[in-house]
Amino acid sequence: MKMLTSLVLIALVFFKTNLHGQSTGKITSAKITFEFVSKEVKGTIEGFESQSKIDWQNLENSYFKGAVQSKTLDTNNGLRNWSLRSGKYFNVDDYPKITFESKRIRNENTKLLVTGNLNIKGVEKEITITFTKNGQQLVGTTSLYSIDYGIKIKKRREDNLVKVKMVFETGS
């Protein structure tokens, strides 16, 4: 009986230590893709930097803060990339980074909703990113209108819809 009690205590200590060790994490890398819906143009953006911290047990202690290098915008078409990076659209020389900083994080069923400020070309707007956890990954999606950030692809606002997907690798 003493042996069984000892094994249970050891298992509980190990489980608690293991759980505690995984209760907070950082974003270690990211793959970010986007689609200009009306143009059916898909691409990626890189140069990811993060100062985020995720406390799974106390989400109010968490924050998401990061940036990507706008010059890394890639649609797999050199001429289109050059155009999008120009002053007419993303103006990467004057605005080398696209940044995001969270203001609120909350759980909703199995989703993690992160609301914060997205800054593109010096224009800051509030957006919400919906994340799901998949093992060590956080998969997030959001939609925005590029025209709201001074990037006019089409005349009508609704034709400037951009869908964004982020896959974050998390670690301690």
Side-chain angles (χ1 to χ4, degrees), residues 34-91:
F34 60 86
E35 178 182 8
F36 289 98
V37 176
S38 67
K39 291 283 204 177
E40 297 181 3
V41 170
K42 295 180 180 183
T44 62
I45 193 160
E46 296 181 2
F48 178 74
E49 306 164 8
S50 175
Q51 298 85 41
S52 305
K53 178 184 132 195
I54 307 162
D55 185 339
W56 296 107
Q57 293 178 342
N58 297 302
L59 284 175
E60 64 274 3
N61 295 330
S62 301
Y63 56 89
F64 285 71
K65 183 177 181 181
V68 290
Q69 301 289 323
S70 54
K71 69 180 179 183
T72 66
L73 186 138
D74 185 13
T75 63
N76 211 22
N77 178 316
L79 187 57
R80 183 186 302 123
N81 294 346
W82 175 80
S83 180
L84 286 172
R85 294 172 187 163
S86 74
K88 182 177 180 184
Y89 296 107
F90 282 86
N91 192 3

